[in-house]
Every structure is written in C-alpha cells, then in structure tokens.
Amino acid sequence: MEFTKKILITGGAGFIGSHVVRLFVTQYPNYHIFNLDKLTYAGNLENLSDIDQSPNYTFVKGDIADTAFINELFTTHQFDGVIHLAAESHVDRSISNPMEFVITNVIGTVNLLNAARATWGCSKDSKVEGKRFYHVSTDEVYGALGEEGMFTETTAYDPHSPYSASKASSDHFVRAYHDTYNLPAVISNCSNNYGPNHFPEKLIPLCINNIKNNKPLPIYGKGENVRDWLYVVDHARAIDVIYHQANDGSTYNIGGHNEWTNIDVIRLLCKIMDGKLGRTPGTNEQLITFVKDRAGHDLRYAIDSTKLQNDLGWKPSLQFEEGLEKTVDWYLANNQWLESVTSGNYQQYYNQQYNR
Ligand code: NAD
Ligand code: TYD
C-alpha cells in the first residue's frame, strides 16, 4: 500500500504515547506510523497489542539520545512528521536522578530537532511545506499557582522540579529551532493525565493498585495540592486536532477544567472502589496515610484551554467521575498488565515476543 505520510511517534509504548499511536493508526490508515521507543521501565508494548499487527504500524526500538542512530533513522525513512512524547516523566525520579532527565528530555529532543531540520532542509531563508514537528509538553513548565488564576499560553516559564526544568528546556529548544531555522514546529502543554496504561508509580494508578491489594495510600503532605485532571484519550484527541490544524510556531494549552485536591481524588477513588470490590462503604478510606511531602511540591496547577477550544473546537469528552470509573474498571480487568509492569516480568515477555 502507498502511504500518504510517514509519521514518527516517539515514546509510543508509554502511557500517553500508546493512546496517540492507537488513535493515529486506526484513524489514519493511509499514514505509516513509526513508534520509536527505548522501552524503559515505563514503556510496554503490551499497551499496543490490539493494533500492533496493523499494516500501517512499525515499531522501532531505540534511544532518542543516541545521535548516530537518530540521524540514520531519519535518513532512512524521510519522515513527514514527528510527534514527540518520549521522555522521563516522573517528578519523584527526577528528584533522585536528574541527569537521566537531561539526557532524554533535553539532549534527546535536540537530537530529534537536528535530524528533522537536516532531513527537511530547514533554513531561515525559506519555509518548508507539508512537514510538522509536534512537541508534547506539560503544564508543569509554568510552575505553581496560588489559590487563584490559571496558566495561559503566555504565562512565564517557572519550573521547579528537575523534570519540569528539563521539559521547559526542551520547549525552549523547539521554539528556538522554529525561530532560527524555520522548523515547522508546534508545542502543547497539557495538565495531568489519567486513564488506562498509566504506570503505577503515579498517584491514581498507584492508589488503584494499593486499594486492590489493601496497602496504604501514601498522600504527600496534607493532600491539599491541586491538579487539573484530563482523561488520556481526550489528550490524544487534542494532539490529533493540533497536529493537523495548528499554525507553525503556535502553542496550545490542553486541560480538563477539572481541578481536584489530591485528597479529594483519593477519597473519590476509595468510594468508587468500595463499590467495585464489594467492600463496606468507608473501608478503603482507612488506607489513606499522610507521608512526608515531596521536595519543591507545586501547590496548584490549572490550565486555561480557551485558545484550543475557540481556535480548533476541541473540548474534553468525559466528566472526571465517569473517567475515573472507566479507569478503575480497566485496571481491575487487566490484572496481568499490572502484575507484569510491577514485577519486572515485562522484559521477559518482550524477549519472547521479539525473539531477542
Ligand atoms: P511515560 O513515562 O508513561 O512514557 C514515556 C515513554 O518514553 C516510555 O515508553 C519510555 O520507554 C519512552 N522513553 C523514555 N526515554 C526514552 C528514550 N531515551 N528514547 C526513546 N524512548 C524513551 O510518559 P507519559 O506520561 O506517557 O508522558 C508522555 C509525554 O507527555 C512526556 O513528554 C510528558 O512530559 C508529557 N506529558 C505527560 C503528562 C502526564 O500527565 N503523564 C502530562 C502532560 C505532558
Ligand atoms: P504525580 O502522579 O506524580 O503527577 P505530577 O507530580 O506530575 O503532578 O502526582 C500527582 C499529585 O499527587 C502530586 O501533587 C503529588 C501527589 N502524590 C502523592 O500525594 N502521593 C504519591 O504517592 C504520588 C506518586 C503523588
């Protein structure tokens, strides 16, 4: 089959990346989708087992921080587009090991920018048509809000964690490549995602797993920090719309207009799971345990996504209660996934599957 476009999606075996890959592979059979992933602890090909036999899907194992490998990959395939999600993504890990975040999130991103620029022949004197470099970023680059206000696309960057500092740095490089070399780039900054395939070190899947196993639910500080939660499939839908419709050089904020304190999220989760697991109402809440706060813990994130809604007509499709219930149902029905990602069996599965 002749494909009309070749699109490279990085980090497609991870949480959000797998939903983006699925959406593009199923929605656009005339695009050839390449999923490039290093398969770190957070990457899992089981996330894509329903679509990995599709004729328009190819998996490539590799590291975005490996310059020679990235240059060769771009030379061989001559991609028309890049949707870049590969990253180290967990704030707590960035506090204990910041350098990995610099290597993947900053150097890896610049490697991709250089390869795209060379392949597309970008220069400040001419404009490249029909190509796109889409950088997927986070609202955490904006820092923390007090009780009032929201992040807009013009809020000044003020990252506090090594994770958000590395993402902020990569955003700056993407803008610099657009401004300096005319690289046809767009950026989006999204709020906290939740949903199926979320690695169980992050708040919601960690607590689902612990409730199931009757283990303590560790809440940092007093649980008063506020996050703006968006269902992962809604993020993937926004990426689709922005990829296809945004102007070069533009930025879009993506968020759910859905602010919750951590303690309220966990209370709601406990209530949903009391019902699903047939436990007496109030049982799961007894597992809540307040623990030492995260260093530099941002108080509040809230995204104003008016620009995306007005310009491109996107809006979230799910209410939080409904999305959380769907998420719980997925984790309860996919025990094997949860066990393989938490037990280290995943590498064995991968080796068998790919005869390595
Ligand atoms: P994730 O940790 O679940 O997945 C990251 C993926 O990248 C994994 O599959 C991993 O194997 C791969 N990867 C890591 N290092 C790599 C490397 N050097 N080379 C190639 N692949 C590598 O992350 P996620 O939560 O799905 O986040 C995806 C992107 O979205 C990230 O850029 C993140 O900053 C951004 N983001 C995440 C959220 C969120 O709530 N999770 C919100 C906004 C933005
Ligand atoms: P997390 O899922 O790590 O996402 P992020 O730090 O990118 O927002 O954390 C979400 C919120 O939950 C954040 O305020 C930190 C808090 N948290 C806990 O209270 N306990 C935990 O065990 C974890 C992982 C997070």
Side-chain angles (χ1 to χ4, degrees), residues 25 79 84 111 114 124 137 221 231 235 244 250 259 267 279-280 291 293 347-348 350 355:
V25 165
F79 302 114
H84 174 36
N111 273 337
N114 280 337
K124 66 176 171 44
S137 193
Y231 193 62
H235 187 187
H244 287 101
S250 59
E259 292 180 47
R267 286 203 181 110
R279 295 179 183 168
T280 313
V291 299
D293 208 353
Q347 204 56 41
Q348 218 178 326
Y350 172 77
N355 297 318

Side-chain angles (χ1 to χ4, degrees), residues 100-204:
E100 272 193 44
F101 286 69
V102 176
I103 293 169
T104 287
N105 298 2
V106 184
I107 295 175
T109 301
V110 177
N111 273 337
L112 293 166
L113 290 167
N114 280 337
R117 179 190 160 211
T119 309
W120 298 339
C122 299
S123 87
K124 66 176 171 44
D125 309 317
S126 61
K127 201 166 155 35
V128 174
E129 296 296 336
K131 311 290 182 203
R132 170 131 290 175
F133 190 104
Y134 186 144
H135 179 61
V136 175
S137 193
T138 168
D139 61 354
E140 301 190 29
V141 299
Y142 298 124
L145 292 163
E147 306 219 327
E148 299 291 316
M150 294 180 118
F151 299 132
T152 70
E153 287 79 0
T154 55
T155 300
Y157 277 31
D158 183 21
H160 296 140
S161 72
Y163 164 65
S164 53
S166 69
K167 291 297 292 189
S169 170
S170 63
D171 291 12
H172 289 318
F173 272 103
V174 174
R175 281 200 188 96
Y177 273 59
H178 170 265
D179 296 350
T180 309
Y181 308 115
N182 257 330
L183 188 91
V186 292
I187 300 181
S188 60
N189 297 85
C190 188
S191 62
N192 284 62
N193 286 213
Y194 71 98
N197 308 102
H198 204 182
F199 194 83
E201 65 185 350
K202 306 276 171 74
L203 180 70
I204 289 178

Side-chain angles (χ1 to χ4, degrees), residues 8-13 33-45 48 57-66 68-70 72-73 77 79 86 346-351 353-356:
L8 177 70
I9 299 184
T10 70
I33 303 301
F34 290 77
N35 170 17
L36 166 64
D37 200 295
K38 184 180 170 183
L39 299 181
T40 66
Y41 77 95
N44 188 339
L45 289 174
L48 293 164
Y57 172 75
T58 301
F59 173 68
V60 181
K61 185 170 189 240
D63 185 347
I64 59 167
D66 180 342
F69 163 76
I70 289 295
E72 197 187 321
L73 188 75
H77 295 293
F79 302 114
Y346 172 63
Q347 204 56 41
Q348 218 178 326
Y349 162 87
Y350 172 77
N351 292 341
Q353 196 86 344
Y354 290 87
N355 297 318
R356 305 276 159 126

